[in-house]
mmCIF file of all heavy atoms in Angstrom:
data_model
loop_
_atom_site.group_PDB
_atom_site.id
_atom_site.type_symbol
_atom_site.label_atom_id
_atom_site.label_comp_id
_atom_site.label_asym_id
_atom_site.label_seq_id
_atom_site.Cartn_x
_atom_site.Cartn_y
_atom_site.Cartn_z
ATOM 1 N N GLU T 1429 95.313 129.405 90.799
ATOM 2 C CA GLU T 1429 95.022 130.604 91.611
ATOM 3 C C GLU T 1429 94.272 130.147 92.859
ATOM 4 O O GLU T 1429 93.076 129.794 92.768
ATOM 5 C CB GLU T 1429 94.177 131.600 90.792
ATOM 6 C CG GLU T 1429 93.885 132.841 91.531
ATOM 7 C CD GLU T 1429 92.951 133.753 90.727
ATOM 8 O OE1 GLU T 1429 92.944 133.652 89.463
ATOM 9 O OE2 GLU T 1429 92.279 134.576 91.345
ATOM 10 N N ALA T 1430 94.928 130.119 93.954
ATOM 11 C CA ALA T 1430 94.326 129.750 95.230
ATOM 12 C C ALA T 1430 94.055 130.933 96.059
ATOM 13 O O ALA T 1430 94.764 131.944 95.959
ATOM 14 C CB ALA T 1430 95.205 128.759 95.971
ATOM 15 N N LEU T 1431 93.028 130.855 96.891
ATOM 16 C CA LEU T 1431 92.789 131.907 97.843
ATOM 17 C C LEU T 1431 93.797 131.787 98.972
ATOM 18 O O LEU T 1431 94.122 130.673 99.390
ATOM 19 C CB LEU T 1431 91.346 131.798 98.405
ATOM 20 C CG LEU T 1431 90.240 131.930 97.357
ATOM 21 C CD1 LEU T 1431 88.873 131.709 98.018
ATOM 22 C CD2 LEU T 1431 90.272 133.280 96.708
ATOM 23 N N VAL T 1432 94.284 132.904 99.452
ATOM 24 C CA VAL T 1432 95.256 132.843 100.533
ATOM 25 C C VAL T 1432 94.597 132.205 101.739
ATOM 26 O O VAL T 1432 93.532 132.607 102.171
ATOM 27 C CB VAL T 1432 95.767 134.290 100.892
ATOM 28 C CG1 VAL T 1432 96.704 134.250 102.095
ATOM 29 C CG2 VAL T 1432 96.457 134.915 99.692
ATOM 30 N N PRO T 1433 95.199 131.138 102.240
ATOM 31 C CA PRO T 1433 94.555 130.392 103.330
ATOM 32 C C PRO T 1433 94.478 131.212 104.612
ATOM 33 O O PRO T 1433 95.439 131.902 104.990
ATOM 34 C CB PRO T 1433 95.462 129.175 103.508
ATOM 35 C CG PRO T 1433 96.745 129.528 102.904
ATOM 36 C CD PRO T 1433 96.480 130.577 101.866
ATOM 37 N N GLN T 1434 93.320 131.138 105.248
ATOM 38 C CA GLN T 1434 93.109 131.750 106.549
ATOM 39 C C GLN T 1434 92.993 130.609 107.562
ATOM 40 O O GLN T 1434 93.446 129.523 107.288
ATOM 41 C CB GLN T 1434 91.859 132.626 106.512
ATOM 42 C CG GLN T 1434 91.921 133.741 105.511
ATOM 43 C CD GLN T 1434 93.017 134.759 105.762
ATOM 44 O OE1 GLN T 1434 93.249 135.180 106.898
ATOM 45 N NE2 GLN T 1434 93.771 135.124 104.716
ATOM 46 N N ALA T 1435 92.367 130.833 108.637
ATOM 47 C CA ALA T 1435 92.193 129.822 109.703
ATOM 48 C C ALA T 1435 91.163 128.764 109.249
ATOM 49 O O ALA T 1435 89.964 128.926 109.489
ATOM 50 C CB ALA T 1435 91.790 130.475 110.977
ATOM 51 N N THR T 1436 91.621 127.740 108.550
ATOM 52 C CA THR T 1436 90.705 126.733 108.011
ATOM 53 C C THR T 1436 91.446 125.439 107.792
ATOM 54 O O THR T 1436 92.663 125.408 107.753
ATOM 55 C CB THR T 1436 90.076 127.235 106.681
ATOM 56 O OG1 THR T 1436 89.166 126.278 106.198
ATOM 57 C CG2 THR T 1436 91.123 127.530 105.655
ATOM 58 N N LEU T 1437 90.692 124.366 107.599
ATOM 59 C CA LEU T 1437 91.279 123.066 107.265
ATOM 60 C C LEU T 1437 91.205 122.826 105.748
ATOM 61 O O LEU T 1437 91.487 121.713 105.326
ATOM 62 C CB LEU T 1437 90.476 121.965 107.951
ATOM 63 C CG LEU T 1437 90.485 122.016 109.495
ATOM 64 C CD1 LEU T 1437 89.611 120.919 110.059
ATOM 65 C CD2 LEU T 1437 91.880 121.908 110.049
ATOM 66 N N TYR T 1438 90.853 123.839 105.001
ATOM 67 C CA TYR T 1438 90.679 123.668 103.548
ATOM 68 C C TYR T 1438 91.386 124.781 102.788
ATOM 69 O O TYR T 1438 91.575 125.879 103.309
ATOM 70 C CB TYR T 1438 89.170 123.713 103.200
ATOM 71 C CG TYR T 1438 88.400 122.689 103.974
ATOM 72 C CD1 TYR T 1438 87.689 123.053 105.115
ATOM 73 C CD2 TYR T 1438 88.411 121.377 103.605
ATOM 74 C CE1 TYR T 1438 86.965 122.133 105.834
ATOM 75 C CE2 TYR T 1438 87.705 120.417 104.334
ATOM 76 C CZ TYR T 1438 86.978 120.800 105.433
ATOM 77 O OH TYR T 1438 86.309 119.871 106.156
ATOM 78 N N LEU T 1439 91.671 124.487 101.549
ATOM 79 C CA LEU T 1439 92.219 125.487 100.626
ATOM 80 C C LEU T 1439 91.282 125.547 99.442
ATOM 81 O O LEU T 1439 90.894 124.523 98.873
ATOM 82 C CB LEU T 1439 93.614 125.030 100.168
ATOM 83 C CG LEU T 1439 94.453 125.991 99.344
ATOM 84 C CD1 LEU T 1439 94.780 127.230 100.158
ATOM 85 C CD2 LEU T 1439 95.705 125.315 98.893
ATOM 86 N N TRP T 1440 90.831 126.761 99.120
ATOM 87 C CA TRP T 1440 89.957 127.000 97.965
ATOM 88 C C TRP T 1440 90.785 127.429 96.761
ATOM 89 O O TRP T 1440 91.608 128.345 96.901
ATOM 90 C CB TRP T 1440 88.913 128.059 98.292
ATOM 91 C CG TRP T 1440 87.841 127.518 99.214
ATOM 92 C CD1 TRP T 1440 87.858 127.584 100.557
ATOM 93 C CD2 TRP T 1440 86.657 126.883 98.825
ATOM 94 N NE1 TRP T 1440 86.736 126.972 101.045
ATOM 95 C CE2 TRP T 1440 85.964 126.547 99.978
ATOM 96 C CE3 TRP T 1440 86.091 126.538 97.599
ATOM 97 C CZ2 TRP T 1440 84.748 125.880 100.002
ATOM 98 C CZ3 TRP T 1440 84.863 125.906 97.587
ATOM 99 C CH2 TRP T 1440 84.203 125.559 98.784
ATOM 100 N N VAL T 1441 90.583 126.776 95.644
ATOM 101 C CA VAL T 1441 91.403 126.996 94.461
ATOM 102 C C VAL T 1441 90.445 127.260 93.275
ATOM 103 O O VAL T 1441 89.476 126.554 93.075
ATOM 104 C CB VAL T 1441 92.289 125.777 94.135
ATOM 105 C CG1 VAL T 1441 93.199 126.057 92.953
ATOM 106 C CG2 VAL T 1441 93.084 125.366 95.394
ATOM 107 N N ARG T 1442 90.811 128.286 92.496
ATOM 108 C CA ARG T 1442 89.979 128.609 91.305
ATOM 109 C C ARG T 1442 90.167 127.499 90.270
ATOM 110 O O ARG T 1442 91.252 127.057 90.000
ATOM 111 C CB ARG T 1442 90.364 129.954 90.699
ATOM 112 C CG ARG T 1442 89.443 130.363 89.525
ATOM 113 C CD ARG T 1442 89.733 131.740 89.064
ATOM 114 N NE ARG T 1442 89.510 132.811 90.062
ATOM 115 C CZ ARG T 1442 88.273 133.281 90.389
ATOM 116 N NH1 ARG T 1442 87.225 132.808 89.783
ATOM 117 N NH2 ARG T 1442 88.162 134.224 91.283
#
Side-chain angles (χ1 to χ4, degrees):
E1429 182 183 336
L1431 299 176
V1432 175
Q1434 300 297 317
T1436 181
L1437 299 177
Y1438 305 99
L1439 187 64
W1440 286 90
V1441 184
R1442 184 173 298 280

